[in-house]
Amino acid sequence: MIDGVQVVPLRRYTDERGSVLLMLKETDPHFVRFGEIYFSTVYRGVIKAWKNHRRMHANYTCVHGRIRVVLHDRRSASPTCGETTELEISPDDRHVLVVIPPGVWHGFQGVVDPISILANCATEPSDPDELERLEVSEIPYAWAEC
């Protein structure tokens, strides 16, 4: 795993009416602060990558479908500099929170039809001045066909 990234198992409560998926509580040890929450839809096979936050921690979970999250470490002082980590998350069988610290490049891809939905509970409101972007081809990673 990339240094500083956490993959936290989440609880899911299901009964005959449906389910409740927990994401993040103020009392969780990995909680930093609340900035904003947003939902990003992604179609099967579509890649949304790469971005890096200078200050923001991202807290990703999948609330619908299945999403491949890819992390790449370019931080020169990090023990995992140059490493890439891939994981698939889903509310069904891999309901986890991926905590991504500032400085870790990340992107994601929809894995199932018709769409998947990623939730991010970010530690601060969106600010274009703290965000860096790269084209998909600028980090050497072979995205899988879906």
Side-chain angles (χ1 to χ4, degrees):
M1 186 56 62
I2 302 292
D3 185 54
V5 172
Q6 298 176 64
V7 178
V8 181
L10 296 175
R11 307 245 356 219
R12 176 183 170 153
Y13 299 96
T14 303
D15 65 20
E16 68 281 354
R17 301 167 298 164
S19 60
V20 172
L21 304 170
L22 295 182
M23 181 175 178
L24 187 62
K25 296 185 293 189
E26 181 181 29
T27 55
D28 287 338
H30 49 275
F31 177 80
V32 175
R33 64 179 232 162
F34 176 77
E36 71 177 12
I37 188 165
Y38 67 81
F39 301 90
S40 181
T41 62
V42 61
Y43 297 111
R44 180 178 182 214
V46 172
I47 300 164
K48 292 187 175 184
W50 295 99
K51 65 180 176 178
N52 171 44
H53 293 285
R54 295 182 181 101
R55 296 184 310 268
M56 176 191 297
H57 287 75
N59 293 286
Y60 281 1
T61 194
C62 179
V63 296
H64 179 77
R66 179 173 290 274
I67 293 175
R68 177 174 298 114
V69 177
V70 181
L71 311 162
H72 182 74
D73 193 354
R74 284 189 163 180
R75 300 169 295 169
S76 60
S78 171
T80 54
C81 184
E83 292 185 22
T84 302
T85 298
E86 170 193 309
L87 47 123
E88 286 191 10
I89 60 177
S90 167
D92 299 323
D93 62 341
R94 185 81 164 121
H95 184 48
V96 297
L97 184 73
V98 183
V99 181
I100 306 169
V104 174
W105 287 90
H106 53 283
F108 59 93
Q109 178 181 34
V111 176
V112 297
D113 283 326
I115 66 165
S116 295
I117 304 172
L118 178 98
N120 181 17
C121 184
T123 57
E124 53 185 87
S126 294
D127 176 359
D129 292 334
E130 73 87 45
L131 176 67
E132 296 177 89
R133 290 190 181 273
L134 292 174
E135 295 297 321
V136 173
S137 61
E138 293 184 72
I139 290 179
Y141 175 75
W143 292 89
E145 294 289 326
C146 294

